[in-house]
């Protein structure tokens, strides 16, 4: 992808993201991606951009983070012709899982992956809609490595730079790339 086509894709994606003030609480400007998902050209451009990153990073599987990461990652996996693995909130997956706790602004949370879905030799790309504080992405990198797989990279539609998620992920990435199609 050329610099011009990356800029065109970024502008198309930005034009389809709606600002919703005071959601879910006063003072928050929510970035609604549903208009982007409803536009087949914008959604295809997003899927293509992520699939190109997967190819460039040598990914053999994609992890999508609950919940909007599922919506974005599944079509990318189909386009890139590689496997899709959901990382879910704790207690949502049946069978044997690996679980990872992580810190939130006010407390902790846990995510899980099926233990058998990732294996040594897999190169896993993490895809999500937003990189905010980085807690969920950091926990997913730990899960991938605990399963014996390698991290190919992390890709997000939007990075909220003012929340410093990239800085939090720096050590956890261990040199793997982090790509944001849009940085706000």
């Amino acid at each position: 992808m050329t610099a011009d086509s990356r800029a065109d894709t970024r502008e198309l994606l930005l034009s389809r993201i709606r600002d919703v003030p005071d959601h879910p609480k006063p003072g928050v400007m929510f970035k609604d991606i549903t208009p982007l998902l409803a536009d087949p050209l914008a959604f295809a451009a997003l899927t293509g951009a992520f699939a190109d990153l997967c190819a460039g990073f040598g990914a053999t599987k994609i992890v999508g983070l609950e919940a909007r990461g599922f919506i974005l990652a599944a079509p990318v996996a189909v386009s890139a012709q590689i496997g899709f693995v959901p990382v879910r909130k704790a207690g949502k997956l049946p069978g044997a899982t690996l679980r990872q706790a992580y810190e939130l602004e006010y407390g902790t949370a846990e995510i899980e992956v099926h233990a058998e879905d990732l294996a040594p030799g897999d190169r896993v790309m993490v895809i999500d809609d937003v990189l905010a504080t980085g807690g969920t992405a950091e926990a997913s990198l730990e899960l991938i490595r605990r399963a014996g797989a390698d991290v190919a990279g992390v890709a997000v539609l939007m990075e909220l730079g003012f929340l410093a998620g990239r800085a939090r992920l720096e050590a956890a990435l261990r040199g793997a790339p982090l790509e944001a199609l849009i940085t706000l």
Side-chain angles (χ1 to χ4, degrees), residues 46-99:
L46 173 61
T47 301
F50 278 156
D52 288 347
L53 289 172
C54 287
F57 297 163
T60 60
K61 287 195 178 163
I62 294 173
V63 156
L65 304 182
E66 188 166 340
R68 290 180 298 265
F70 295 174
I71 297 167
L72 303 182
V76 173
V78 171
S79 179
Q81 299 182 352
I82 59 180
F84 168 74
V85 177
V87 168
R88 303 230 35 208
K89 294 175 184 170
K92 301 289 186 180
L93 292 172
T97 62
L98 298 173
R99 184 177 287 197

Side-chain angles (χ1 to χ4, degrees), residues 169-184:
L169 285 180
E170 192 171 303
L173 285 164
R174 299 184 194 166
L178 167 59
E179 293 287 335
L181 300 181
I182 299 167
T183 301
L184 303 172

Side-chain angles (χ1 to χ4, degrees), residues 27-48:
V28 173
M29 180 64 73
F30 184 78
K31 299 295 186 181
D32 181 13
I33 67 167
T34 58
L36 187 157
L37 300 174
D39 181 329
L41 294 177
F43 198 12
L46 173 61
T47 301

Side-chain angles (χ1 to χ4, degrees), residues 2-144:
T2 67
D4 285 342
S5 64
R6 276 193 302 274
D8 290 345
T9 297
R10 181 183 185 282
E11 290 306 313
L12 173 62
L13 299 176
L14 268 173
S15 75
R16 301 305 188 275
I17 297 170
R18 176 177 48 199
D19 286 344
V20 181
D22 299 321
H23 180 79
K25 62 183 187 177
V28 173
M29 180 64 73
F30 184 78
K31 299 295 186 181
D32 181 13
I33 67 167
T34 58
L36 187 157
L37 300 174
D39 181 329
L41 294 177
F43 198 12
L46 173 61
T47 301
F50 278 156
D52 288 347
L53 289 172
C54 287
F57 297 163
T60 60
K61 287 195 178 163
I62 294 173
V63 156
L65 304 182
E66 188 166 340
R68 290 180 298 265
F70 295 174
I71 297 167
L72 303 182
V76 173
V78 171
S79 179
Q81 299 182 352
I82 59 180
F84 168 74
V85 177
V87 168
R88 303 230 35 208
K89 294 175 184 170
K92 301 289 186 180
L93 292 172
T97 62
L98 298 173
R99 184 177 287 197
Q100 183 65 41
Y102 61 99
E103 297 289 323
L104 297 169
E105 186 176 359
Y106 300 106
T108 61
E110 293 180 313
I111 56 173
E112 294 179 324
V113 66
H114 274 133
E116 72 275 4
D117 288 349
L118 299 174
D122 287 336
R123 289 191 42 79
V124 183
M125 178 76 139
V126 176
I127 292 183
D128 204 6
D129 64 329
V130 175
L131 174 62
T133 62
T136 309
E138 182 180 41
S140 73
L141 298 177
E142 179 63 26
L143 281 176
I144 291 164

